[in-house]
């Protein structure tokens, strides 16, 4: 675990679990790769051991300011790749892959704007109400005097349960076909979302004293919901996550554990 927003909530969970009475069953599921592939959570969810635990609910520890999060968005990861021919650019013998990728990028820019503007893509239960459609471009370190042999872009499309991905992915595939670029699409599981009156959500709201909410980011709940209903909740502030000042205060950690939990731990 390489970030404070993950290590802090994990430490709070361990200390809180140690402070529980013996009659209270609790299991710690510690995963890896949440920020990238979610392979750890997927492996846990698929394991026979985890399924035999008979879990009744899962608390996914993330920095929510101890607000119980009942739902969040799930990702579809898209990669479009154009192939060219590498050469010294002065010779005129190469073929720059960017010229094939650019028409696709132009259509993705227009699609991104549609996702923000058109009511059909909105989910007002989330803030912001429009889905995430973030694009990163890669020329793999090609020097400026070399025709680009490979150009690709990666798109993270985050959507809530209320937004079916089909129409958006169809638009992406059509654009890729028109531009003649190769396309890879990898979707996470369904976006997790519990009703506001779900028993686990109500319990977390009662214990925290905070109203349940939804958030625009994603967590391991995408995979872990296959085992049991999930609420995302933990100390810290998502606004400082992935920043140079990423941190979880000691006061937040203490509040997450509770005054009576953990003893001298």
């Amino acid at each position: 675990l390489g970030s404070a927003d993950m290590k802090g909530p994990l430490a709070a969970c361990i200390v809180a679990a140690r402070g529980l009475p013996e009659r209270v069953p609790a299991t710690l599921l510690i995963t890896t790769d949440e920020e990238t592939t979610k392979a750890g959570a997927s492996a846990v969810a698929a394991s026979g051991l985890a399924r035999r635990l008979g879990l009744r609910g899962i608390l996914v520890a993330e920095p929510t300011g101890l607000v119980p999060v009942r739902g969040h968005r799930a990702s579809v990861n898209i990669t479009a790749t154009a192939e060219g021919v590498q050469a010294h650019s002065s010779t005129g013998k190469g073929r720059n892959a960017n010229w094939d990728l650019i028409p696709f990028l132009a259509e993705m820019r227009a699609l991104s704007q549609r996702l923000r503007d058109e009511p059909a893509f909105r989910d007002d239960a989330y803030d912001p109400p429009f889905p995430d459609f973030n694009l990163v471009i890669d020329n793999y370190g090609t020097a400026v005097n070399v025709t680009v042999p490979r150009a690709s872009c990666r798109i993270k499309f985050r959507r809530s349960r209320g937004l079916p991905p089909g129409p958006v992915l169809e638009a992406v595939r059509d654009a890729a076909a028109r531009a003649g670029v190769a396309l890879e699409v990898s979707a996470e599981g369904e976006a997790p979302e519990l009703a506001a009156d779900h028993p686990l959500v109500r319990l977390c709201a009662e214990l925290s004293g905070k109203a349940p909410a939804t958030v625009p980011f994603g967590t391991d709940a995408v995979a872990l919901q296959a085992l049991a209903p999930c609420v995302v909740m933990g100390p810290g502030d998502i606004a400082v996550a992935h920043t140079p000042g990423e941190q979880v205060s000691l006061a937040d950690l203490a509040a997450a554990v509770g005054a009576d939990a953990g003893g001298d731990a």
Side-chain angles (χ1 to χ4, degrees), residues 1-3 6-7 9-10 13-14 27-47 50 55 58-62 218-225 227 230:
L1 293 170
S3 59
M6 290 298 293
K7 289 185 288 187
L10 173 60
C13 286
I14 293 171
T27 300
L28 293 171
L29 303 175
I30 302 175
T31 66
T32 61
D33 298 325
E34 186 271 339
E35 296 288 356
T36 52
T37 64
K38 295 183 172 56
S42 297
V44 168
S47 99
L55 302 176
I58 297 175
L59 192 70
V60 180
E62 290 278 2
T219 78
D220 276 343
V222 167
L224 296 177
Q225 65 181 332
L227 297 174
C230 294

Coordinates of all heavy atoms in Angstrom, one line a residue, residues 1-3 6-7 9-10 13-14 27-47 50 55 58-62 218-225 227 230:
L1 N 0.9 -1.2 0.0 CA 0.0 0.0 0.0 C 0.9 1.2 0.0 O 1.7 1.4 0.9 CB -0.9 0.0 1.2 CG -2.0 -1.1 1.3 CD1 -2.6 -1.2 2.6 CD2 -3.0 -0.9 0.2
G2 N 0.7 2.1 -1.0 CA 1.7 3.1 -1.2 C 1.2 4.5 -0.9 O 1.8 5.5 -1.1
S3 N -0.1 4.7 -0.4 CA -0.6 6.0 -0.2 C -1.2 6.1 1.2 O -1.8 5.2 1.8 CB -1.6 6.3 -1.2 OG -2.7 5.4 -1.2
M6 N -4.9 5.1 1.8 CA -5.2 3.7 2.0 C -4.6 3.2 3.3 O -5.3 2.4 4.0 CB -4.6 2.9 0.8 CG -5.3 3.2 -0.5 SD -7.0 2.7 -0.5 CE -6.9 1.0 -0.4
K7 N -3.4 3.5 3.6 CA -2.8 2.9 4.8 C -3.4 3.4 6.1 O -3.6 2.6 7.0 CB -1.3 3.3 4.8 CG -0.5 2.6 3.8 CD 1.0 2.9 3.9 CE 1.4 4.3 3.5 NZ 2.8 4.5 3.4
P9 N -6.8 4.3 6.7 CA -8.0 3.5 6.9 C -7.7 2.1 7.2 O -8.4 1.5 8.1 CB -8.8 3.7 5.6 CG -8.3 5.0 5.1 CD -6.9 5.1 5.4
L10 N -6.7 1.5 6.6 CA -6.4 0.1 6.9 C -5.9 -0.1 8.3 O -6.4 -1.0 9.0 CB -5.3 -0.4 6.0 CG -4.7 -1.8 6.3 CD1 -5.8 -2.9 6.2 CD2 -3.6 -2.2 5.3
C13 N -8.9 0.1 10.6 CA -9.7 -1.1 10.6 C -9.1 -2.2 11.5 O -9.8 -2.9 12.2 CB -9.8 -1.7 9.2 SG -11.0 -0.7 8.1
I14 N -7.7 -2.4 11.4 CA -7.1 -3.4 12.2 C -7.2 -3.1 13.7 O -7.6 -4.0 14.5 CB -5.6 -3.5 11.8 CG1 -5.5 -4.0 10.3 CG2 -4.8 -4.4 12.7 CD1 -4.1 -3.9 9.8
T27 N -14.0 -10.1 9.9 CA -12.9 -10.6 9.0 C -12.3 -9.4 8.2 O -13.0 -8.5 7.7 CB -13.5 -11.6 8.0 OG1 -14.1 -12.7 8.6 CG2 -12.4 -12.1 7.0
L28 N -11.0 -9.4 8.2 CA -10.3 -8.4 7.5 C -9.9 -8.9 6.1 O -9.2 -9.9 6.0 CB -9.0 -7.9 8.2 CG -9.2 -7.2 9.5 CD1 -7.8 -7.0 10.2 CD2 -9.8 -5.8 9.3
L29 N -10.4 -8.3 5.0 CA -10.0 -8.6 3.7 C -9.1 -7.5 3.2 O -9.5 -6.4 2.9 CB -11.3 -8.7 2.8 CG -12.4 -9.7 3.2 CD1 -13.6 -9.5 2.3 CD2 -11.9 -11.1 3.2
I30 N -7.8 -7.8 3.0 CA -6.8 -6.9 2.6 C -6.4 -7.1 1.2 O -5.9 -8.2 0.9 CB -5.6 -6.9 3.6 CG1 -6.1 -6.6 5.0 CG2 -4.5 -5.9 3.2 CD1 -5.0 -6.8 6.1
T31 N -6.6 -6.2 0.3 CA -6.4 -6.4 -1.1 C -5.2 -5.5 -1.6 O -4.7 -4.6 -0.9 CB -7.6 -6.1 -1.9 OG1 -7.9 -4.7 -1.8 CG2 -8.8 -6.8 -1.3
T32 N -4.8 -5.8 -2.9 CA -3.8 -5.0 -3.6 C -4.4 -4.5 -4.9 O -5.4 -5.0 -5.4 CB -2.5 -5.8 -3.8 OG1 -2.9 -6.9 -4.6 CG2 -1.9 -6.3 -2.5
D33 N -3.7 -3.6 -5.5 CA -4.0 -3.1 -6.9 C -5.3 -2.4 -7.0 O -5.9 -2.4 -8.1 CB -3.9 -4.3 -7.9 CG -2.5 -4.9 -7.9 OD1 -1.6 -4.2 -7.8 OD2 -2.4 -6.2 -8.1
E34 N -5.8 -1.8 -6.0 CA -7.1 -1.1 -6.1 C -7.0 0.1 -7.0 O -8.0 0.3 -7.8 CB -7.5 -0.6 -4.7 CG -8.9 0.0 -4.6 CD -8.9 1.5 -4.9 OE1 -7.9 2.1 -4.7 OE2 -10.0 2.0 -5.3
E35 N -5.9 0.7 -7.1 CA -5.7 1.9 -8.0 C -5.6 1.6 -9.4 O -5.7 2.4 -10.3 CB -4.5 2.7 -7.5 CG -4.7 3.3 -6.1 CD -5.7 4.5 -6.0 OE1 -6.2 4.8 -7.1 OE2 -5.9 5.0 -4.9
T36 N -5.3 0.3 -9.7 CA -5.0 -0.1 -11.1 C -6.0 -1.1 -11.7 O -7.0 -0.8 -12.3 CB -3.6 -0.6 -11.2 OG1 -3.3 -1.6 -10.3 CG2 -2.6 0.5 -11.0
T37 N -5.7 -2.4 -11.3 CA -6.5 -3.4 -11.9 C -7.7 -4.0 -11.1 O -8.5 -4.7 -11.5 CB -5.6 -4.6 -12.3 OG1 -5.1 -5.2 -11.1 CG2 -4.5 -4.2 -13.2
K38 N -7.6 -3.7 -9.7 CA -8.5 -4.3 -8.8 C -8.4 -5.8 -8.8 O -9.3 -6.5 -8.4 CB -9.9 -3.8 -9.0 CG -10.2 -2.3 -8.7 CD -11.6 -1.9 -8.9 CE -11.8 -0.5 -8.5 NZ -11.0 0.5 -9.2
A39 N -7.2 -6.3 -9.2 CA -7.0 -7.7 -9.2 C -7.1 -8.4 -7.8 O -7.6 -9.5 -7.7 CB -5.6 -8.0 -9.9
G40 N -6.6 -7.7 -6.8 CA -6.6 -8.3 -5.5 C -8.1 -8.5 -5.0 O -8.4 -9.6 -4.6
A41 N -8.9 -7.5 -5.2 CA -10.3 -7.7 -4.7 C -11.0 -8.7 -5.6 O -11.9 -9.4 -5.1 CB -11.0 -6.3 -4.8
S42 N -10.7 -8.7 -6.9 CA -11.3 -9.7 -7.7 C -11.0 -11.1 -7.3 O -11.8 -12.1 -7.3 CB -10.9 -9.5 -9.2 OG -11.4 -8.2 -9.6
A43 N -9.7 -11.3 -6.9 CA -9.2 -12.7 -6.5 C -9.9 -13.0 -5.2 O -10.3 -14.2 -5.0 CB -7.7 -12.7 -6.3
V44 N -10.1 -12.1 -4.3 CA -10.7 -12.4 -3.0 C -12.2 -12.7 -3.3 O -12.7 -13.7 -2.7 CB -10.6 -11.1 -2.1 CG1 -11.6 -11.3 -0.9 CG2 -9.2 -11.0 -1.6
A45 N -12.9 -12.0 -4.1 CA -14.3 -12.2 -4.4 C -14.5 -13.6 -5.0 O -15.6 -14.2 -4.8 CB -14.8 -11.1 -5.3
A46 N -13.5 -14.0 -5.8 CA -13.7 -15.3 -6.5 C -13.2 -16.5 -5.6 O -13.5 -17.6 -6.0 CB -12.8 -15.3 -7.8
S47 N -12.6 -16.2 -4.5 CA -12.1 -17.3 -3.7 C -13.2 -18.1 -3.0 O -14.1 -17.5 -2.4 CB -11.0 -16.8 -2.7 OG -11.5 -16.7 -1.5
A50 N -13.4 -17.0 0.8 CA -14.1 -15.8 1.1 C -15.6 -16.1 1.0 O -16.4 -15.6 1.9 CB -13.7 -14.7 0.1
L55 N -20.3 -13.7 4.8 CA -20.2 -12.3 5.2 C -21.6 -11.7 5.0 O -22.3 -11.9 4.0 CB -19.2 -11.5 4.4 CG -17.8 -12.0 4.5 CD1 -16.9 -11.2 3.5 CD2 -17.3 -11.9 5.9
I58 N -19.9 -5.7 4.1 CA -18.5 -5.3 4.0 C -18.4 -3.8 4.1 O -19.1 -3.1 3.4 CB -18.0 -5.8 2.6 CG1 -18.0 -7.4 2.5 CG2 -16.5 -5.3 2.4 CD1 -17.6 -7.9 1.2
L59 N -17.5 -3.4 4.9 CA -17.1 -2.0 5.0 C -15.8 -1.8 4.2 O -14.8 -2.3 4.7 CB -16.9 -1.6 6.5 CG -16.9 -0.1 6.8 CD1 -18.2 0.5 6.6 CD2 -16.4 0.1 8.2
V60 N -15.9 -1.1 3.1 CA -14.7 -0.8 2.3 C -14.0 0.5 2.8 O -14.7 1.5 2.7 CB -15.1 -0.7 0.8 CG1 -13.8 -0.4 0.0 CG2 -15.7 -2.0 0.4
A61 N -12.8 0.4 3.3 CA -12.2 1.5 3.9 C -11.5 2.4 2.9 O -10.6 2.1 2.3 CB -11.1 1.0 4.9
E62 N -12.1 3.6 2.8 CA -11.6 4.7 1.9 C -11.8 6.0 2.6 O -12.6 6.1 3.5 CB -12.3 4.6 0.5 CG -12.0 3.5 -0.3 CD -10.7 3.6 -1.1 OE1 -10.0 4.7 -1.0 OE2 -10.4 2.7 -1.9
G218 N -14.2 5.4 -7.6 CA -14.4 4.0 -7.5 C -13.6 3.3 -6.4 O -12.6 3.9 -6.0
T219 N -14.0 2.1 -6.0 CA -13.3 1.4 -5.0 C -13.4 -0.1 -5.3 O -14.0 -0.5 -6.2 CB -13.9 1.7 -3.6 OG1 -15.1 0.9 -3.4 CG2 -14.2 3.1 -3.3
D220 N -12.8 -0.9 -4.4 CA -12.9 -2.4 -4.5 C -14.3 -2.9 -4.3 O -14.5 -4.1 -4.5 CB -11.9 -3.0 -3.5 CG -10.5 -3.1 -3.9 OD1 -10.3 -2.9 -5.2 OD2 -9.6 -3.3 -3.1
A221 N -15.2 -2.1 -3.9 CA -16.6 -2.5 -3.8 C -17.2 -3.1 -5.1 O -18.1 -3.9 -5.1 CB -17.5 -1.4 -3.2
V222 N -16.6 -2.6 -6.2 CA -17.0 -3.1 -7.5 C -16.9 -4.6 -7.6 O -17.8 -5.3 -8.1 CB -16.2 -2.5 -8.6 CG1 -16.4 -3.2 -9.9 CG2 -16.6 -1.0 -8.8
A223 N -15.8 -5.2 -7.0 CA -15.6 -6.6 -7.0 C -16.2 -7.3 -5.7 O -16.8 -8.3 -5.8 CB -14.1 -6.9 -7.1
L224 N -16.0 -6.6 -4.6 CA -16.4 -7.2 -3.3 C -17.9 -7.3 -3.1 O -18.3 -8.1 -2.3 CB -15.7 -6.5 -2.1 CG -14.2 -6.5 -2.1 CD1 -13.7 -5.6 -1.0 CD2 -13.7 -7.9 -2.0
Q225 N -18.7 -6.6 -3.8 CA -20.1 -6.7 -3.7 C -20.7 -8.0 -4.1 O -21.8 -8.4 -3.7 CB -20.8 -5.6 -4.5 CG -20.6 -5.7 -6.0 CD -21.3 -4.6 -6.8 OE1 -22.3 -4.0 -6.3 NE2 -20.8 -4.3 -8.0
L227 N -19.6 -10.7 -2.8 CA -19.6 -11.4 -1.5 C -20.7 -11.0 -0.6 O -21.3 -11.8 0.1 CB -18.2 -11.3 -0.8 CG -17.0 -11.8 -1.6 CD1 -15.8 -11.5 -0.8 CD2 -17.2 -13.3 -1.8
C230 N -22.0 -3.8 0.2 CA -20.8 -3.0 0.6 C -21.2 -1.5 0.9 O -22.0 -0.9 0.2 CB -19.8 -2.9 -0.5 SG -19.0 -4.5 -0.9

